[in-house]
């Protein structure tokens, strides 16, 4: 275990916890989002003294303006769809409308309860939270206002912000980012969503369920382009059926305000221009790292396009300085940050943990339907192992009893190395995000279809679809539908 400095030993001897005045920690963390607070909690659990610097609220983007509030909106949207479509289940219900004040109260209540629980947990672990904007001002020191804090190890976890495009002005009223969209007090009549990735598709799904007319504009050839092509096509079919319009292979050119909202000019790959009019435009073109002006590069931390470069053990080019979460190139997912934070705490404590496998990180788009995956898509697997070196199978949810009960369509697609382990699992359908945990275990286990096929899955559940897909890939399909 890492030893404590004399200053920390004296502080803990007097008060039982470190104070800012003593300001010398085993682990000093800049940023209290998913990666930062996970690192803090695990380090404290391992007996290390921890300083946690945060300019806003503990919990960061995920808790306050990301994962949690957006998924609360998505659940409200699901409830709206259930009421609107209740007759197909023999239930007579009507949807009288969307009360955004009530929706926001529900959403904010979820965030508030989780925030209260998290702050209580941080306090109970003896972690010192230093409020204010921190800046790396020395090899192992952070300055917050007039206070300089030092640590034997420093962890950079300053998170991300909603990006825009050059020349595109976000005013927060007609041209919004996801931060603004979460605070809307009304359901917009119509919206242009710029960006067909995870954030764009999730908000498009919410607003359509709430009754808005939605058009997605995506420069890449397909929606959720980071997913397997089959998953993208399935989502596009579902969105088309729901009345969500989308234009792929289409670039944003400009936006201007009109009397009723905005007029968005877009351009196809062939150079053809057209306009789309709507009440609002959501800019959902990804998230950028929060690193500018924080002193990282000045202290010898290698950077690239604003991101902090690390090795597989999350170590930066500056000795004793780690980086985790959205500021490190790769998937910008809260659970990636969690795991990296835990890894760094254990590494500092000398436990020699296994590095986080980026390919094993599960990915979920919580639209309706959901898209989930882990491992390699078919194209990447073919590039890596050769077209003749892989096998795939797609099990349609039409053969799954619970999916029929839920009236959802979709599939489970498996990619394996020929006569080898499963290297990719891709799912589309309502609630399939709940299946990706088992999918991750199969991928991480390097399981063969023949290993998974004998496992017993409860009936009727959607988890059975995973079992059925592996049965099919093992050469003994049961409830397979062509």
């Amino acid at each position: 275990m890492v030893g404590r400095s004399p200053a920390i030993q004296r502080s803990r001897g007097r008060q039982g916890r470190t104070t800012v005045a003593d300001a010398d920690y085993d682990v000093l963390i800049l940023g209290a989002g998913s990666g930062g607070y996970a690192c803090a909690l695990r380090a404290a659990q391992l007996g290390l003294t921890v300083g946690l610097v945060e300019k806003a609220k503990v919990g960061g983007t995920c808790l306050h303006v990301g994962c949690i509030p957006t998924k609360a909106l998505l659940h409200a949207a699901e409830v709206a769809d259930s009421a609107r479509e209740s007759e197909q289940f023999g239930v007579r219900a009507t949807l009288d409308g969307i009360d955004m004040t009530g929706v926001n109260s529900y959403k904010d209540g979820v965030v508030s309860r989780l925030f209260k629980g998290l702050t209580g947990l941080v306090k109970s672990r003896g972690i010192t939270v230093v409020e204010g904007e921190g800046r790396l001002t020395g090899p192992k020191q952070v300055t917050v206002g007039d206070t300089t804090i030092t640590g034997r190890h420093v962890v950079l976890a300053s998170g991300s912000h909603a990006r825009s495009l050059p020349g595109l002005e976000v005013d927060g009223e007609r041209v919004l980012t996801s931060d603004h969209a979460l605070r809307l007090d009304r359901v917009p009549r119509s919206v242009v969503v710029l960006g067909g990735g995870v954030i764009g598709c999730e908000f498009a799904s919410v607003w359509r369920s709430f009754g808005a007319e939605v058009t997605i504009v995506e420069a890449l050839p397909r929606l959720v382009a980071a997913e397997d092509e089959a998953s993208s096509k399935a989502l596009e079919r579902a969105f088309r059926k729901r009345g969500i319009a989308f234009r792929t292979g289409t670039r944003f050119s400009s936006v201007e305000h009109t009397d009723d909202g905005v007029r968005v000019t877009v351009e196809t790959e062939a150079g053809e221009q057209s306009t789309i009019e709507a009440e609002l435009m959501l800019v959902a073109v990804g998230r950028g790292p929060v690193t500018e002006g924080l002193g990282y590069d000045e202290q010898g931390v290698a950077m690239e396009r604003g991101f902090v470069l690390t090795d597989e053990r999350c170590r930066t080019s500056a000795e004793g300085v780690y980086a985790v979460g959205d500021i490190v190139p790769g998937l910008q997912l809260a659970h990636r940050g969690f795991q990296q934070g835990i890894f760094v705490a254990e590494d500092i404590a000398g436990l020699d943990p296994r590095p986080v496998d980026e390919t094993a990180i599960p990915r979920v788009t919580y639209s309706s339907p959901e898209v989930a995956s882990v491992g390699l898509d078919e194209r990447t697997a073919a590039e890596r192992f050769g077209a003749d070196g892989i096998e795939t199978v797609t099990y349609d949810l039409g053969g799954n009893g619970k999916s029929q009960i839920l009236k959802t369509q979709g599939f489970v697609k498996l990619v394996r190395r020929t006569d080898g382990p499963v290297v990719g699992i891709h799912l589309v359908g309502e609630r399939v995000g709940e299946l990706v945990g088992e999918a991750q275990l199969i991928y991480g286990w390097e399981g063969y279809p023949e290993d998974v096929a004998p496992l017993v899955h409860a009936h009727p559940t959607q988890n059975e679809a995973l079992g059925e897909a592996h049965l099919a890939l093992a050469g003994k399909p049961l409830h397979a539908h062509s």
Side-chain angles (χ1 to χ4, degrees):
M1 181 176 292
V2 176
R4 298 186 179 88
S5 69
I8 290 180
Q9 290 174 342
R10 289 196 301 272
S11 172
R12 291 181 68 87
R14 290 195 307 271
Q15 300 176 338
R17 63 173 291 182
T18 308
T19 64
V20 176
D22 293 302
D24 189 14
Y25 302 90
D26 289 331
V27 186
L28 176 58
I29 304 165
L30 182 53
S34 302
Y37 84 69
C39 183
L41 291 173
R42 183 62 177 136
Q45 191 177 52
L46 292 169
L48 307 177
T49 56
V50 182
L52 188 58
V53 179
E54 174 55 52
K55 65 179 180 181
K57 292 182 177 179
V58 173
T61 294
C62 173
L63 177 54
H64 299 287
V65 291
C67 317
I68 298 301
T70 55
K71 277 53 183 180
L73 288 183
L74 282 155
H75 181 63
E78 181 184 5
V79 173
D81 286 334
S82 295
R84 185 184 291 111
E85 300 164 3
S86 63
E87 285 194 15
Q88 66 179 318
F89 302 103
V91 178
R92 294 177 180 173
T94 57
L95 178 64
D96 294 333
I98 305 297
D99 173 16
M100 281 307 298
T101 299
V103 170
N104 285 330
S105 177
Y106 151 69
K107 164 180 64 69
D108 295 342
V110 173
V111 172
S112 178
R113 287 189 295 275
L114 290 172
F115 175 60
K116 183 178 180 180
L118 178 58
T119 53
L121 185 59
V122 168
K123 184 177 181 180
S124 72
R125 294 279 175 88
I127 296 165
T128 300
V129 177
V130 182
E131 297 180 358
E133 185 168 4
R135 189 171 184 275
L136 192 65
T137 52
K140 294 182 182 179
Q141 73 177 30
V142 171
T143 298
V144 184
D146 296 329
T147 304
T148 296
I149 313 164
T150 58
R152 299 182 69 243
H153 304 85
V154 172
V155 181
L156 308 178
S158 44
S160 62
H161 63 89
R163 290 178 54 227
S164 185
L165 296 176
L168 174 54
E169 182 180 349
V170 175
D171 60 19
E173 295 182 1
R174 297 191 188 186
V175 180
L176 317 177
T177 66
S178 57
D179 293 359
H180 304 119
L182 286 169
R183 298 194 293 268
L184 271 184
D185 59 1
R186 69 191 189 284
V187 176
R189 184 178 61 259
S190 54
V191 189
V192 172
V193 176
L194 182 57
V198 173
I199 297 171
C201 286
E202 288 183 350
F203 273 100
S205 187
V206 166
W207 279 324
R208 185 57 185 152
S209 295
F210 285 173
E213 295 295 323
V214 181
T215 301
I216 302 172
V217 175
E218 171 55 56
L220 295 174
R222 52 192 173 90
L223 300 182
V224 290
E227 295 291 344
D228 189 87
E229 186 173 354
S231 297
S232 292
K233 288 181 177 179
L235 182 65
E236 289 174 0
R237 284 194 299 270
F239 272 15
R240 200 176 287 116
K241 187 175 180 180
R242 292 184 60 197
I244 298 174
F246 55 89
R247 302 188 188 186
T248 55
T250 303
R251 296 189 301 274
F252 166 82
S253 292
S254 64
V255 60
E256 59 182 301
H257 288 202
T258 65
D259 292 341
D260 299 323
V262 293
R263 181 181 297 112
V264 183
T265 301
V266 297
E267 183 178 334
T268 66
E269 292 177 343
E272 299 174 352
Q273 287 197 341
S274 59
T275 60
I276 311 168
E277 297 204 16
E279 181 182 341
L280 300 174
M281 182 172 82
L282 172 69
V283 181
V285 293
R287 299 187 64 82
V290 175
T291 57
E292 187 176 357
L294 298 185
Y296 296 173
D297 51 353
E298 296 170 23
Q299 299 305 320
V301 175
M303 312 277 289
E304 184 176 287
R305 296 181 297 106
F307 288 93
V308 177
L309 302 180
T310 68
D311 63 12
E312 66 172 5
R313 304 195 73 79
C314 298
R315 295 175 298 200
T316 73
S317 56
E319 186 176 354
V321 179
Y322 295 78
V324 300
D326 287 357
I327 63 172
V328 178
L331 295 169
Q332 291 182 313
L333 298 171
H335 43 285
R336 174 184 182 247
F338 288 147
Q339 200 60 36
Q340 287 179 333
I342 292 168
F343 169 86
V344 166
E346 294 181 349
D347 198 57
I348 290 171
L351 301 184
D352 193 28
R354 179 186 301 177
V356 178
D357 178 0
E358 294 273 328
T359 312
I361 297 172
R363 308 170 292 272
V364 185
T365 301
Y366 295 91
S367 52
S368 177
E370 293 183 350
V371 178
S373 63
V374 65
L376 306 177
D377 64 12
E378 182 177 353
R379 179 184 59 81
T380 305
E383 290 173 354
R384 185 171 300 183
F385 306 117
D388 296 332
I390 64 169
E391 300 173 51
T392 69
V393 71
T394 300
Y395 174 77
D396 195 292
L397 292 185
N400 177 255
K402 186 59 180 286
S403 296
Q404 289 300 302
I405 291 168
L406 295 173
K407 287 187 174 289
T408 185
Q409 297 178 331
F411 58 76
V412 176
K413 177 178 177 178
L414 304 181
V415 182
R416 76 176 294 187
R417 296 190 65 176
T418 302
D419 298 325
V422 173
V423 295
I425 302 177
H426 306 273
L427 311 103
V428 178
E430 301 295 342
R431 306 187 186 183
V432 296
E434 302 301 324
L435 308 184
V436 79
E438 182 180 356
Q440 181 192 23
L441 289 175
I442 294 167
Y443 175 83
W445 175 31
E446 296 184 352
Y448 283 52
E450 295 79 8
D451 297 326
V452 180
L455 300 179
V456 180
H457 292 81
H459 177 74
T461 64
Q462 286 185 293
N463 279 89
E464 286 181 284
L466 274 171
E468 292 275 2
H470 283 84
L471 279 168
L473 197 53
K476 44 185 178 180
L478 192 60
H479 295 98
H481 286 223
S482 59

